[in-house]
Amino acid sequence: MKKNNKQIITEVAFLLSLKNGFNNVSIKEIQKASGFSAGSIYYHFKDKNEILLHMINVYLIENFHEYRDAIKNSNDPFTKKMESIFYHLIGFNKKEFNSSHSLTMNKFNYREYYGLFSSIFHQHPETRPLFYKLHVDSYNFYQELVEEALENNEIKENIDVRSLTIFIHTVLKGYVDLCVFNPDLSIKEIMEVNLKVIEEITKK
């Protein structure tokens, strides 16, 4: 899918931010890297902060919605859906997503990705409601998967939905942190250990 000018500007800002941090990227640098004039950039965005908000929506919020919907609409069993989530969170998509920015999603390192958005959360308080909502949406998504698995008789019937959802959400958050901040550990090992624990506590 051919990108429009707004998508190109957003992509350039995002890739520059991965390398240098959003606060260290200027409109002039975005202009140079994109090949657009300052007037073209300001036609689509009133200021740099608006670029930031759009970047979060595209590369964080929309990305979550796309993979959530793809997993929810698949016929995979609960354990395979969980595996897909683990893969996706570190940038290895086991499913194809119909995304205008999917090619870019394969160009960057997941450590840079989470490092960037972590710094944005801390340095730009105005963006935090977006992050808070994303975590609520993630929790609701995991709960829906647990409820569906229970309804389909895929997991043991005495599972407490709320407790398992909290556990899964906590595990996934810890999984990402370990992958990002402890490069000495194998991603495969971290993933397999966590998936095994989830499978053991849910199996009938």
Side-chain angles (χ1 to χ4, degrees):
M1 181 185 297
K2 185 177 180 180
K3 298 179 179 69
N4 60 39
N5 290 354
K6 186 173 184 178
Q7 290 172 323
I8 293 172
I9 293 165
T10 306
E11 180 179 279
V12 167
F14 175 64
L15 294 175
L16 287 173
S17 297
L18 285 173
K19 182 179 179 181
N20 303 313
F22 180 78
N23 287 358
N24 298 318
V25 176
S26 67
I27 292 291
K28 190 171 184 179
E29 288 172 315
I30 296 172
Q31 179 185 339
K32 181 179 179 181
S34 66
F36 293 123
S37 66
S40 296
I41 294 173
Y42 285 117
Y43 174 80
H44 295 286
F45 302 99
K46 67 179 181 181
D47 54 28
K48 189 180 165 188
N49 189 59
E50 195 168 275
I51 295 177
L52 173 62
L53 293 175
H54 189 64
M55 192 173 77
I56 292 172
N57 273 302
V58 170
Y59 289 102
L60 195 64
I61 309 299
E62 289 182 13
N63 178 49
F64 164 72
H65 289 160
E66 288 171 1
Y67 100 83
R68 177 199 63 188
D69 292 345
I71 291 173
K72 283 175 65 175
N73 294 330
S74 77
N75 294 319
D76 289 342
F78 176 72
T79 52
K80 286 295 181 183
K81 287 181 177 179
M82 289 305 308
E83 183 183 72
S84 293
I85 293 172
F86 274 89
Y87 272 102
H88 177 81
L89 288 176
I90 54 169
F92 298 102
N93 295 332
K94 297 206 76 177
K95 295 185 177 297
E96 294 296 327
F97 301 109
N98 182 21
S99 169
S100 60
H101 52 272
S102 59
L103 291 177
T104 302
M105 296 297 288
N106 294 325
K107 292 179 183 177
F108 59 83
N109 183 284
Y110 66 92
R111 290 191 174 99
E112 295 175 346
Y113 177 83
Y114 286 110
L116 171 62
F117 285 114
S118 177
S119 68
I120 288 171
F121 177 86
H122 290 291
Q123 296 169 4
H124 295 271
E126 72 278 8
T127 68
R128 290 177 189 173
L130 293 173
F131 288 89
Y132 295 147
K133 185 177 186 307
L134 176 62
H135 275 276
V136 170
D137 289 345
S138 298
Y139 177 91
N140 291 336
F141 169 46
Y142 305 145
Q143 180 173 298
E144 288 172 12
L145 292 183
V146 172
E147 290 172 341
E148 178 188 59
L150 197 57
E151 184 179 334
N152 293 340
N153 203 30
E154 295 180 72
I155 58 178
K156 58 185 179 182
E157 59 186 21
N158 64 338
I159 281 286
D160 181 84
V161 173
R162 179 176 173 82
S163 296
L164 181 57
T165 303
I166 292 172
F167 176 74
I168 288 173
H169 203 169
T170 305
V171 163
L172 290 170
K173 174 62 177 170
Y175 160 73
V176 168
D177 284 352
L178 269 180
C179 289
V180 171
F181 298 112
N182 196 333
D184 293 332
L185 285 175
S186 159
I187 294 172
K188 183 179 180 182
E189 180 184 8
I190 300 170
M191 184 189 305
E192 288 180 349
V193 165
N194 283 294
L195 283 169
K196 183 178 180 180
V197 171
I198 292 172
E199 184 176 2
E200 285 180 351
I201 64 177
T202 59
K203 67 181 179 182
K204 302 182 67 177

